[in-house]
Amino acid sequence: MAYLYELEGIYAELQDMELDDETFQDTLDSINFQEDLENNIDYFVKMYKNSLADAEACKHEKQAFAEKEKRNKAKADKFKEYIKRALEISNVKKVDTGKFKVSLRKSKKVEILDETKIPLDYMNEKHEWTPNKTELARAMKAGAEIEGAVLVENESLQVK
């Protein structure tokens, strides 16, 4: 059996010989060109189908991993909340387990109450205006009162 690239070469050589149609076809038949061509095409179609099946399997695995990632992130968030709640209930701010240092610390974040009332100086331009929370926080920490936003104090868990 000839390989596909060999068949291409044979076919090109025969075309260059400028044979009449009957001689051209007889020559192809004598070297089993059609059978070799069909075998080669059959092989490549199988490879093509296998590649498509592999791609589809990867697509399904990607979706499965995305779902698994989402579940694991949700589980991690629950564990983090359990740790935070345990520290709050026991009124402890820091714990050093030897392997991990866990602490509660105060933080502040801007909570937007009414985006339409925030001055443009504190808005980021994207495709639309959005509040610039960093600038809002800086201004409000400096004592500015900005209608449409308040500075909220939170306590977040830190794991090192």
Side-chain angles (χ1 to χ4, degrees):
M1 180 176 94
Y3 292 106
L4 192 55
Y5 69 89
E6 293 172 329
L7 293 174
E8 289 173 344
I10 292 169
Y11 195 85
E13 282 180 35
L14 290 175
Q15 281 185 322
D16 288 344
M17 293 177 153
E18 297 181 11
L19 303 171
D20 63 78
D21 289 344
E22 188 177 332
T23 307
F24 184 81
Q25 191 59 48
D26 287 345
T27 306
L28 288 178
D29 291 343
S30 70
I31 60 170
N32 292 328
F33 183 86
Q34 188 66 31
E35 185 179 331
D36 285 350
L37 178 65
E38 288 172 5
N39 287 336
N40 274 279
I41 288 176
D42 187 60
Y43 169 77
F44 282 108
V45 168
K46 288 175 185 174
M47 297 303 288
Y48 167 75
K49 294 274 190 182
N50 281 339
S51 294
L52 284 179
D54 288 347
E56 189 64 26
C58 289
K59 179 181 172 184
H60 289 297
E61 284 299 311
K62 182 175 143 183
Q63 290 170 346
F65 275 115
E67 290 169 9
K68 192 172 185 177
E69 176 189 16
K70 189 176 177 182
R71 283 192 308 270
N72 283 325
K73 282 184 178 179
K75 200 185 303 183
D77 288 343
K78 281 184 183 178
F79 290 140
K80 188 175 180 180
E81 189 56 39
Y82 293 155
I83 296 166
K84 183 180 177 196
R85 205 170 35 200
L87 292 175
E88 289 171 343
I89 289 170
S90 63
N91 205 23
V92 174
K93 297 290 183 193
K94 289 184 182 182
V95 172
D96 187 347
T97 69
K99 291 184 182 181
F100 304 102
K101 292 181 181 180
V102 179
S103 62
L104 290 175
R105 66 181 177 111
K106 299 248 184 245
S107 64
K108 293 184 179 188
K109 74 173 188 173
V110 174
E111 189 173 306
I112 304 301
L113 303 176
D114 186 353
E115 206 171 286
T116 61
K117 294 181 179 179
I118 296 174
L120 290 181
D121 293 344
Y122 300 106
M123 299 291 274
N124 288 327
E125 184 178 355
K126 229 178 182 175
H127 296 291
E128 59 188 9
W129 287 98
T130 59
N132 181 340
K133 290 184 177 183
T134 304
E135 285 299 314
L136 282 166
R138 187 176 293 130
M140 287 190 281
K141 284 178 185 176
E145 287 188 21
I146 299 170
E147 188 178 355
V150 293
L151 196 57
V152 179
E153 188 173 308
N154 288 329
E155 194 168 59
S156 62
L157 179 68
Q158 209 177 18
V159 177
K160 293 181 185 178

